[in-house]
Amino acid sequence: MVRAPDNRAAFEVEISGKKVIKMPEEVSAEVLKYLKDMASDYLNNTVSEAVISIPAYFSNAQRKATKRAAELAGLKVLKLVTEPTAAAIHYVSDKQKHNANILVFDFGGGTLDVSVIKIMDKTFVVKAVYGDTLLGGRNFDEILFDYFYKDFSVET
């Protein structure tokens, strides 16, 4: 990470032997463009619109940056949906639930989020979100590795 000329956080990357400063949304745009191209190839049709899932705790600035990244990738954002809401939508469509309260655990690579979502017909209302942005999949992996490493290590 480096500081961009406007004092925002940025990435310094080397492209064809030249150092280039890229803003986070520009890096995200590259990923989204790659995914867009893969989807277009797979569908044999141009993909130009997207619904994008985002972490539950994203701020308005992070949401705007995600939309900007999509625009840079040539995508029109139809909707930003929080990851727990996306999980609830899938669950509801699979189970044919129409009126329910759903508790969603989102174990990310470095986060753990819990959301309570109320479903009324086709309306999803996030009632509560709690999480820890410093606790998640990687932490659990490290704890399991340490446990099994100690348990299975043979002293010589």
Side-chain angles (χ1 to χ4, degrees):
M1 290 291 262
V2 297
R3 290 274 174 208
D6 62 0
N7 210 28
R8 293 190 301 155
F11 297 99
E12 185 176 79
V13 295
E14 191 172 311
I15 301 174
S16 301
K18 288 186 174 181
K19 289 186 178 182
V20 178
I21 293 178
K22 294 263 186 185
M23 303 307 294
E25 56 268 24
E26 292 174 313
V27 175
S28 293
E30 293 293 329
V31 172
L32 289 172
K33 183 167 181 353
Y34 177 78
L35 294 171
K36 174 187 146 191
D37 291 344
M38 283 182 57
S40 294
D41 289 346
Y42 179 78
L43 296 170
N44 200 24
N45 199 358
T46 302
V47 172
S48 59
E49 300 174 329
V51 173
I52 300 176
S53 66
I54 56 172
Y57 57 84
F58 255 28
S59 67
N60 284 337
Q62 289 168 311
R63 290 169 188 263
K64 285 180 184 176
T66 301
K67 286 182 178 179
R68 177 73 179 124
E71 289 171 6
L72 291 171
L75 289 167
K76 177 183 175 188
V77 177
L78 299 176
K79 188 162 186 80
L80 292 179
V81 178
T82 65
E83 291 164 348
T85 302
I89 290 168
H90 174 73
Y91 176 79
V92 167
S93 67
D94 189 43
K95 302 292 183 193
Q96 299 299 313
K97 298 253 184 210
H98 297 289
N99 294 300
N101 290 308
I102 297 177
L103 181 66
V104 179
F105 289 91
D106 182 5
F107 288 94
T111 64
L112 169 62
D113 299 310
V114 180
S115 301
V116 175
I117 300 174
K118 184 173 185 74
I119 301 160
M120 299 166 293
D121 296 315
K122 293 182 180 183
T123 303
F124 292 74
V125 179
V126 178
K127 300 300 278 182
V129 175
Y130 185 76
D132 188 332
T133 59
L134 302 176
L135 176 65
R138 181 175 172 196
N139 304 98
F140 293 109
D141 291 346
E142 289 172 1
I143 291 167
L144 286 170
F145 176 83
D146 289 344
Y147 173 80
F148 286 111
Y149 180 80
K150 289 175 189 170
D151 194 48
F152 292 123
S153 289
V154 177
E155 301 265 342
T156 56

